[in-house]
Amino acid sequence: MRAAQLETAAQNGAALDGESFIRPHLRELAAYTPIEPFEVLSAKLGMRTEDIVKLDANENPYGPPPEVLKALGSLKFPHIYPDPESRQLRATLARDHSVSMDKILVGCGADELIDLLMRCCLDPGDAILDCPPTFTMYAFDAAVNNARVISVPRKDDFQLDMPALLEAAREQKPRMIFVTSPNNPDGSLVPDEDLQALLQLPALIVLDEAYIEFADHPSRAGWVGKHSNLVVLRTFSKSAGLAGIRVGWGCFPPELITYMWRAKQPYNVSVVSEVAACTALSCQEYLKEKRDLLVQERQRMTAQLREIPFLEPYPSASNFVLCKVVGRDAKGVKDALAKQGIMVRHYAKPELSGFIRISAGRPDQTDLLMKALQAL
Ligand SMILES: *Cc1c(COP(=O)(O)O)cnc(C)c1O
C-alpha cells in the first residue's frame, strides 16, 4: 500500500518528503519531550551543577564507587569492540545473585531490554498490558513497536487491581504484562500472591525491579526458569549510581533468551559500560553503605514531608516518595521549587497532575528542600 503510494507520487512528479518514508504507525507517535540535560539546566538557572538539588529522576546523588572512575581512566582496550556476550559482567552477576549465567542478558539500560523484548515477542497489533500510573517506557516502546496498550489502572493506594487485571487479561489476551516492583512513581511492592496469580496467565510477565535494592524484599530473579513466562529486569542506573553510563540486565527463561541473543545488537554494551558495572559490583560495601543512606533519608524525608500541610506522602519501598498535593496546584509547587534550583518531578498526565515525586537525596539536599517547602 505504502509502496504503491510512493510510486504514484513519484510518477506524478510530486516531491517525496521525508515523512512519506516513515511507517504509518510511527507518524502517530507523540513528539518526544526531552528532559533538560544537567548542564543546560545549570546554565538556565545560572547555578553551578553542584548547587542544583536534583531530586527529579531517582538518580543516586552519591554516584558510583570512586573505583569506577579510576577503572574508566585506565581502560586498556577502548579501541577494541566489546564482548558481544558481556561474559565478565554476566559471570559476576550470576555469582552475586545465584542465577545461572545463561539466563542473564545485559543491555544499554533496562530500557533497551524492554524494547528488545517487545521486538522479539510482539506482532503488529498485539497488545501489552500495563498498570498506570507506572513507568511510561512500556507504553512508549509499545507504540514504537506498533502494539496496543491495555491499561488497568492501579487502585487508590497504588496496589494492582487484581480482579480487573485478570479479567482484562482473559478478555483481551495481551502477549505481555508489565508490572513494576517497587512501582515508579509511588514505590509500592507487588505482593507474592499477585505475582503468582499473574504467572498463571498465558502471557509473558515482565517484572521490572529497577528499584528492588531499596526495598526490604528479595528480588524475584530466582523465580525465573521455575516459571517459563517470567522475566525480571534490573538496572545499574539507580542503586549502583550508573544512570549516565547505561547498563541494565535481566533474567530470562532459556527458551526466550535464545532468540533475544539472535535479535540484539552485537555491541549493545560498551567497554565503558561493562568495566563500570563490573567495578561497581566489586565494591559491595560502598553500594550497601549508600543504599542504606538513601533508605534512611527516604524515611527521614517522608516524616518531614508529613509535617508540610499541603503534602500527603505515600509509603515507599524505593528511593523516592510520591506526594499528593492538597489545596494547591502541584505544578505550581514544582515550578516554585525549580526556580530555587530544587528539581522535583511533576506529571502532565491527568491521573497524576495533583502529585509530585521527590527522590531521596543527601541529607543536605533534604534540608534545602524542606526549607524551601516550609517557605512556600
Ligand atoms: C529508571 C527505571 C528503569 C531503568 O532504566 P535504565 O536506566 O534504562 O536501566 C527501568 N524501570 C523503571 C521502573 C525505572 O524507573
Side-chain angles (χ1 to χ4, degrees):
M1 177 64 194
R2 193 153 47 105
Q5 276 171 356
L6 286 172
E7 205 168 313
T8 316
Q11 276 163 5
N12 294 342
L16 292 174
D17 68 357
E19 193 182 282
S20 57
F21 296 101
I22 298 291
R23 299 168 71 191
H25 76 275
L26 290 180
R27 294 181 210 165
E28 312 293 315
L29 208 61
Y32 173 69
T33 29
I35 54 152
E36 303 225 289
F38 209 17
E39 293 84 353
V40 173
L41 188 64
S42 153
K44 202 167 114 183
L45 291 166
M47 288 173 82
R48 301 183 311 162
T49 47
E50 45 279 46
D51 294 332
I52 297 176
V53 179
K54 194 171 181 322
L55 304 176
D56 59 351
N58 304 338
E59 290 137 336
N60 186 330
Y62 297 104
E67 286 81 353
V68 169
L69 294 185
K70 252 183 263 154
L72 292 181
S74 55
L75 284 182
K76 278 208 210 95
F77 305 116
H79 56 298
I80 304 292
Y81 281 109
D83 174 10
E85 295 181 28
S86 310
R87 271 164 277 213
Q88 203 193 342
L89 177 52
R90 287 170 50 241
T92 311
L93 286 167
R95 187 198 64 206
D96 286 2
H97 296 275
S98 316
V99 200
S100 81
M101 183 170 156
D102 51 12
K103 291 201 189 89
I104 298 177
L105 187 69
V106 187
C108 177
D111 283 357
E112 186 199 12
L113 298 175
I114 296 169
D115 180 57
L116 179 60
L117 269 171
M118 289 194 194
R119 288 196 285 129
C120 289
C121 299
L122 298 176
D123 278 324
D126 279 349
I128 68 144
L129 186 154
D130 76 359
C131 302
T134 191
F135 192 45
T136 50
M137 288 305 287
Y138 318 132
F140 168 81
D141 285 316
V144 173
N145 284 288
N146 204 3
R148 287 177 298 126
V149 180
I150 303 161
S151 292
V152 179
R154 286 168 176 260
K155 297 188 288 187
D156 285 346
D157 61 357
F158 297 104
Q159 286 295 304
L160 297 176
D161 185 346
M162 286 304 289
L165 206 168
L166 295 174
E167 191 187 316
R170 284 198 195 98
E171 280 179 4
Q172 303 187 57
K173 309 206 169 13
R175 299 299 288 256
M176 309 172 80
I177 298 178
F178 286 83
V179 283
T180 319
S181 182
N183 187 44
N184 178 1
D186 62 286
S188 64
L189 292 163
V190 174
D192 279 356
E193 63 263 30
D194 287 1
L195 186 58
Q196 291 283 10
L198 291 175
L199 286 166
Q200 307 309 310
L201 293 166
L204 182 66
I205 308 302
V206 182
L207 180 69
D208 184 341
E209 291 189 332
Y211 300 98
I212 194 67
E213 292 88 347
F214 299 108
D216 292 318
H217 190 289
S219 165
R220 273 78 165 241
W223 292 28
V224 174
K226 296 190 185 87
H227 300 273
S228 58
N229 61 337
L230 176 66
V231 165
V232 174
L233 298 179
R234 306 279 302 262
T235 182
F236 284 85
S237 294
K238 309 292 164 41
S239 85
L242 291 177
I245 306 259
R246 314 299 304 128
V247 209
W249 60 285
C251 288
F252 303 84
E255 306 78 18
L256 185 71
I257 203 168
T258 307
Y259 295 94
M260 296 188 66
W261 278 114
R262 296 186 198 175
K264 89 171 182 77
Q265 299 286 334
Y267 303 125
N268 60 329
V269 179
S270 72
V271 171
V272 166
S273 297
E274 188 167 17
V275 166
C278 286
T279 309
L281 289 178
S282 72
C283 306
Q284 287 300 329
E285 219 167 288
Y286 175 99
L287 296 183
K288 173 148 188 346
E289 179 196 315
K290 303 307 181 202
R291 176 264 179 211
D292 289 349
L293 283 175
L294 288 169
V295 168
Q296 203 181 317
E297 202 54 20
R298 173 194 82 214
Q299 287 160 349
R300 191 175 80 96
M301 179 170 78
T302 305
Q304 295 193 15
L305 289 170
R306 268 196 213 108
E307 304 297 315
I308 302 287
F310 55 91
L311 292 181
E312 286 176 10
Y314 283 77
S316 166
S318 192
N319 64 335
F320 50 81
V321 178
L322 186 71
C323 299
K324 190 185 237 167
V325 183
V326 273
R328 280 192 191 226
D329 178 41
K331 172 98 177 12
V333 173
K334 180 225 142 145
D335 289 342
L337 292 172
K339 275 201 198 105
Q340 305 172 55
I342 300 171
M343 315 308 293
V344 303
R345 183 74 198 269
H346 176 261
Y347 305 85
K349 285 209 199 72
E351 70 267 26
L352 279 179
S353 62
F355 293 81
I356 54 173
R357 189 196 65 196
I358 311 174
S359 311
R362 297 185 313 259
D364 61 297
Q365 296 179 311
T366 308
D367 293 345
L368 287 169
L369 166 78
M370 295 314 303
K371 223 156 118 198
L373 281 171
Q374 280 151 6
L376 278 192

